[in-house]
Amino acid sequence: LEEDLLPGRSIEGVATSALYAAARQAGTPRSLDEISAVSRVEKDEIARTYRYVIRELGLEVQPADPESYVPRFASDLDLSDETERRARRLLKTAKETGIHSGKSPVGLAAAAVYAAALLTNEKVTQNEVSEVASISEVTIRNRYHELLEAEGGAPA
């Protein structure tokens, strides 16, 4: 408001974008899909206004870390601490090998949780993970295979 960013934009759009930016800066990111699901603002408008707000205010917002999504996904799926730790290890390996670059952090986190559940013999379906993460099963399958290959060719 003080920077006069509202003219020509909806107050709800700017407020929602500010919330999205604040969550990312606080290290508790939510996906655009999650934010748009609980607001009255379309995903495209949130994304466009978010880019405008961070540019105009000169905000430094780091890309979301896939690991920051793991605890929530694991909790929502009622998975063990062991599975959560295994998912984090898969993501660390992904970072070390560089396969995370250019990939959706939500998709990577969802695939890591799915792969970790399988590796620790917990029963969870791609569909269940897809619902919790609001990401397609196809994305989970693709990232899942990449994660396991990075891990050292574990059976996919």
Side-chain angles (χ1 to χ4, degrees):
L1 195 60
E2 290 171 10
E3 295 295 324
D4 203 28
L5 301 181
L6 285 177
R9 287 175 179 72
S10 76
I11 292 172
E12 280 187 277
V14 173
T16 304
S17 299
L19 178 65
Y20 177 66
R24 289 187 62 175
Q25 285 186 318
T28 55
R30 296 292 185 254
S31 70
L32 280 172
D33 288 324
E34 290 174 293
I35 297 287
S36 67
V38 296
S39 76
R40 295 182 297 203
V41 184
E42 294 293 321
K43 179 179 167 181
D44 291 345
E45 182 185 343
I46 298 169
R48 185 175 51 254
T49 307
Y50 166 75
R51 287 190 302 272
Y52 172 75
V53 166
I54 62 169
R55 183 181 64 244
E56 292 298 314
L57 296 179
L59 300 178
E60 299 257 341
V61 182
Q62 297 299 315
D65 183 351
E67 284 187 54
S68 62
Y69 293 97
V70 170
R72 184 161 43 102
F73 294 168
S75 173
D76 289 352
L77 291 162
D78 202 27
L79 298 173
S80 69
D81 289 344
E82 179 190 358
T83 298
E84 187 177 328
R85 281 191 300 276
R86 190 74 177 91
R88 288 177 188 273
R89 277 205 316 272
L90 284 166
L91 289 170
K92 279 187 190 349
T93 303
K95 285 182 202 166
E96 289 164 7
T97 58
I99 68 160
H100 72 296
S101 186
K103 306 283 194 316
S104 158
V106 177
L108 278 170
V113 167
Y114 175 70
L118 294 182
L119 293 168
T120 56
N121 295 315
E122 291 200 54
K123 299 286 183 240
V124 68
T125 66
Q126 288 177 3
N127 182 265
E128 290 167 332
V129 177
S130 166
E131 299 265 322
V132 163
S134 301
I135 200 122
S136 78
E137 289 179 51
V138 173
T139 299
I140 292 170
R141 265 192 300 282
N142 291 341
R143 299 295 92 83
Y144 158 76
H145 290 294
E146 293 167 3
L147 288 171
L148 291 182
E149 282 174 24
E151 187 77 358

